[in-house]
Amino acid sequence: MMACHPKMVVKLPLVSNYQGKNNMVEANLKEVVKAMCKAFAGGRSAMAGALGMTETAFNNNLYEKNGCRFFEIGELEAMEDISGTNLLTEYFARRRGLLVVELPALEELDQVELFSKSIRTAAHRGHVDQIIQESLADGVIDDKEAAEIMRHHRRHLQARDAEVRAVLALFGKKAKCQKG
């Protein structure tokens, strides 16, 4: 299994996607499982094998068929580790209106890398602004456009967080003391 990166969670305004259906797993969580399978070499059959089950058993769990329940949380976490993604973590964060931010590895940080982070942040912000402008062409922002704006906005905030942490690591008093 892949090692997990430490993460920080930031509170954003809650946007609920709860559909109020009893005894059914929300469709979005099933999409997360499918996306984790897609990210893993060999796809769904390889993911099933990595979890120690047949593809048929995997599909029965995924679609809650033949008396099977949806995956246990431990299985979902294993799929996230196996796939090397943060998709499950991001799903749960979005459910609660939170933002997942990976804590960057700052050991070999220099001013060139800091500049690169700054450019990346600006590009993400520009992309969000561009999507907003395109969405406003007809005078309204529909649900699909709003979801796309928020997806790219989260990426911008993640990039900005990494940039600020890099500045603090490079120029912080503690870092200066360790260098000198």
Side-chain angles (χ1 to χ4, degrees):
M1 289 190 190
M2 298 191 64
C4 295
H5 296 288
K7 294 175 181 46
M8 182 178 84
V9 179
V10 179
K11 183 76 173 158
L12 291 179
L14 181 62
V15 178
S16 177
N17 58 8
Y18 176 69
Q19 298 170 357
K21 296 179 181 176
N22 292 330
N23 300 326
M24 288 183 65
V25 174
E26 188 173 331
N28 289 337
L29 186 52
K30 291 181 184 199
E31 294 304 316
V32 168
V33 170
K34 291 176 187 176
M36 289 189 292
C37 290
K38 205 177 266 188
F40 186 52
R44 191 177 296 187
S45 61
M47 182 67 76
L51 293 173
M53 61 177 71
T54 66
E55 189 171 1
T56 300
F58 186 93
N59 287 333
N60 285 340
N61 288 115
L62 179 60
Y63 297 110
E64 301 175 88
K65 301 287 185 190
N66 298 323
C68 293
R69 299 181 85 175
F70 194 71
F71 299 101
E72 299 286 329
I73 189 70
E75 292 169 320
L76 293 169
E77 290 171 343
M79 284 185 242
E80 184 176 55
D81 291 342
I82 291 165
S83 67
T85 67
N86 294 327
L87 295 169
L88 182 66
T89 302
E90 290 171 359
Y91 165 79
F92 283 117
R94 274 192 319 272
R95 263 191 88 239
R96 302 306 311 152
L98 302 172
L99 174 69
V100 176
V101 177
E102 283 196 51
L103 301 177
L106 302 173
E107 294 82 29
E108 297 181 20
L109 185 66
D110 60 14
Q111 290 189 10
V112 173
E113 179 63 23
L114 185 61
F115 178 73
S116 175
K117 286 183 181 302
S118 174
I119 295 299
R120 194 172 310 122
T121 300
H124 282 292
R125 175 165 181 176
H127 193 207
V128 171
D129 293 342
Q130 182 180 17
I131 295 167
I132 290 171
Q133 181 182 14
E134 291 168 0
S135 297
L136 287 172
D138 63 357
V140 295
I141 296 176
D142 63 29
D143 290 344
K144 183 179 177 186
E145 291 168 329
E148 182 181 8
I149 290 167
M150 289 308 297
R151 184 174 69 249
H152 290 284
H153 176 60
R154 282 190 296 276
R155 289 181 185 157
H156 167 246
L157 292 178
Q158 290 168 333
R160 178 66 177 153
D161 186 84
E163 177 189 7
V164 169
R165 288 176 185 281
V167 168
L168 296 176
L170 188 59
F171 296 107
K173 187 174 184 178
K174 187 176 178 181
K176 291 277 188 200
C177 292
Q178 290 173 349
K179 289 179 184 174

